[in-house]
Amino acid sequence: MNKKILIVPGDGIGPEVTAVGKKVLDKIAEKFGHQFSYDEALIGHVAIEATGLPLPDETLTKMKASDAVLFGAVGHPKYDNDPSAKVRPEQGLLKMRKELGLYANLRPIKLFDELLDASSIKPEILKGADILFFRELTGDIYFGDKGRKNDGDTAYDVAEYSRYEVERIARKAFDAARTRNKKVCSVDKANVLETSRLWREVVQKIALEYPDVEIEHQFVDATAMLLIKDPKRFDVVVTANLFGDILTDEASQIAGSMGMLASASIGDGTGVYEPIHGSAHDITGKGVANPLASVLSAALLLDISFGLKAESEAVINAVDLVLKAGFRTRDIADASTPANMILGTEAMGAEVLSRI
Ligand code: NAD
């Protein structure tokens, strides 16, 4: 298979972890006989420094011309401490999602058995949990009308969803459920919100097209509770932008560490694959960042954008074997981890590569 992959490392630890993700793609190409060609582009703080813009046109053009994007992270302390800054790294991220029409954010939440103790949830509740979140990414309260009323003391953000927006993400979720345990949980707040009532009506209609998939509807408050109480009950979860933002961060704790979780943002064109963590400036340049979220993002890219299931499995299995062998990065090590088993970013990458 011939594919063009754009590497967009971004800021902070982005370049360190993305370099490992790229090596994994290279290894897969070599082992399975594919030809992957690469280009690189700027986003975030590094793009602002170089061009004045968080998402330069050149980056966007390269993204659109690629088959998939492997993304690092954006963000810099300079902007975190200055909420009034007019040009900000995160604007690059939002513009990218809008321009590429990335309306579905997928986040697999699956704990490697070796890391059961790294989670704050009891192992017996957690073992076997395997959830795939679909968070809607381009609608809701984030993109509706917002502002201050005349006196400046009242603010508003309008939540909006169209039938079409709900339909397209619901279909993605049902399609994915067919390849898994055939269960979809649609999360809303239909007892209170009109957007949620439309959401539920549309999901119920789409569910009729998938009689082989079981559908349940849950309120977002109940879901927040059930994720901690009984995460194993979920298979595919589909929800709106704001609810998804909060629930996926909650669910990330099931997996123990931010350094382990990958995500995919997809629409009808180029898909973008990235760790869920940010630019982590507290550890940038120290060579200690956990590269496994970027490695698992590469696995998602192979599966979702290229349909290369066996290749994707090979990457996930390699990560599993590395953890089984006892290797850890600092963030997933505990008091019982021997010092010589705690690896830096590159060494952890090398252990994964040798097991593909
Ligand atoms: P963060 O994810 O960067 O870091 C949170 C904590 O987790 C830090 O202590 C960090 O050291 C640790 N951590 C994160 N990734 C790790 C890894 N791979 N290995 C080991 N430890 C890891 O979140 P934050 O500190 O809230 O934000 C830092 C910057 O990142 C901010 O500017 C924020 O806006 C940005 N951010 C960007 C994205 C993105 O690009 N998608 C997401 C979240 C935050």
Side-chain angles (χ1 to χ4, degrees):
M1 185 179 272
N2 282 307
K3 292 287 180 191
K4 281 194 287 191
I5 302 171
L6 185 68
I7 308 288
V8 185
D11 302 320
I13 61 168
E16 300 168 44
V17 297
T18 314
V20 178
K22 177 174 178 283
K23 280 187 192 158
V24 162
L25 290 169
D26 269 343
K27 187 77 174 185
I28 287 291
E30 179 198 320
K31 285 270 168 186
F32 288 81
H34 301 300
Q35 270 76 49
F36 296 159
S37 60
Y38 304 93
D39 198 354
E40 200 163 301
L42 298 174
I43 197 166
H45 170 68
V46 287
I48 297 173
E49 294 282 289
T51 69
L53 295 169
L55 179 66
D57 287 345
E58 190 191 344
T59 299
L60 198 54
T61 306
K62 284 183 176 181
M63 284 176 165
K64 288 181 177 167
S66 313
D67 295 306
V69 174
L70 185 69
F71 189 94
V74 295
H76 192 276
K78 179 174 150 185
Y79 308 92
D80 297 341
N81 301 328
D82 177 13
S84 65
K86 291 255 177 312
V87 183
R88 312 180 62 80
E90 301 79 23
Q91 291 165 345
L93 207 58
L94 291 178
K95 187 171 175 203
M96 173 184 80
R97 288 174 182 165
K98 189 163 187 292
E99 294 283 336
L100 296 182
L102 303 172
Y103 60 80
N105 183 243
L106 279 69
R107 211 183 266 195
I109 307 280
K110 191 176 175 182
L111 184 61
F112 289 91
D113 280 352
E114 268 44 58
L115 299 181
L116 274 175
D117 289 330
S119 172
S120 46
I121 302 174
K122 287 188 198 126
E124 62 271 25
I125 291 187
L126 219 48
K127 197 167 174 11
D130 180 356
I131 311 173
L132 179 58
F133 270 92
F134 280 78
R135 166 188 169 196
E136 202 287 331
L137 212 53
T138 55
D140 208 353
I141 197 162
Y142 290 46
F143 294 93
D145 191 23
K146 52 184 81 249
R148 297 276 175 111
K149 290 192 177 166
N150 296 342
D151 60 5
D153 288 335
T154 308
Y156 58 92
D157 300 277
V158 177
E160 252 183 53
Y161 266 117
S162 71
R163 195 170 286 279
Y164 166 69
E165 286 171 319
V166 185
E167 272 174 8
R168 62 184 183 177
I169 183 132
R171 281 212 172 82
K172 291 259 186 235
F174 279 99
D175 284 341
R178 274 193 166 152
T179 68
R180 295 170 47 96
N181 286 328
K182 300 192 169 53
K183 276 168 62 179
V184 170
C185 174
S186 172
V187 177
D188 61 36
K189 187 76 184 165
N191 50 343
V192 179
L193 302 176
E194 197 53 38
T195 39
S196 280
R197 282 191 275 273
L198 176 76
W199 181 280
R200 193 174 283 218
E201 183 188 316
V202 172
V203 173
Q204 277 168 342
K205 196 179 120 238
I206 300 291
L208 299 175
E209 298 170 23
Y210 297 82
D212 51 323
V213 177
E214 188 188 313
I215 171 78
E216 72 162 336
H217 301 271
Q218 287 287 353
F219 295 135
V220 61
D221 36 353
T223 310
M225 181 266 294
L226 288 168
L227 274 172
I228 300 298
K229 188 171 171 234
D230 185 16
K232 283 197 277 272
R233 74 190 300 288
F234 295 105
D235 179 23
V236 171
V237 177
V238 60
T239 191
N241 203 346
L242 177 63
F243 300 154
D245 194 357
I246 299 165
L247 291 178
T248 52
D249 260 27
E250 182 193 351
S252 74
Q253 283 313 296
I254 293 175
S257 165
M258 305 263 284
M260 294 297 300
L261 285 179
S263 81
S265 298
I266 58 171
D268 298 320
T270 313
V272 177
Y273 299 82
E274 59 178 308
I276 69 154
H277 62 70
S279 48
H281 278 270
D282 51 334
I283 56 168
T284 298
K286 295 187 176 155
V288 297
N290 183 348
L292 296 179
S294 182
V295 169
L296 294 169
S297 300
L300 268 184
L301 180 159
L302 292 166
D303 180 2
I304 298 174
S305 274
F306 300 168
L308 299 174
K309 287 254 179 244
E311 288 81 341
S312 177
E313 284 291 317
V315 175
I316 297 168
N317 284 340
V319 171
D320 199 22
L321 289 174
V322 168
L323 296 174
K324 281 204 169 84
F327 294 110
R328 301 285 185 272
T329 42
R330 211 173 60 177
D331 57 311
I332 50 172
D334 60 26
S336 68
T337 314
N340 65 334
M341 299 304 273
I342 302 179
L343 305 181
T345 312
E346 279 186 27
M348 182 52 116
E351 293 299 334
V352 174
L353 290 177
S354 72
R355 285 170 179 79
I356 291 178

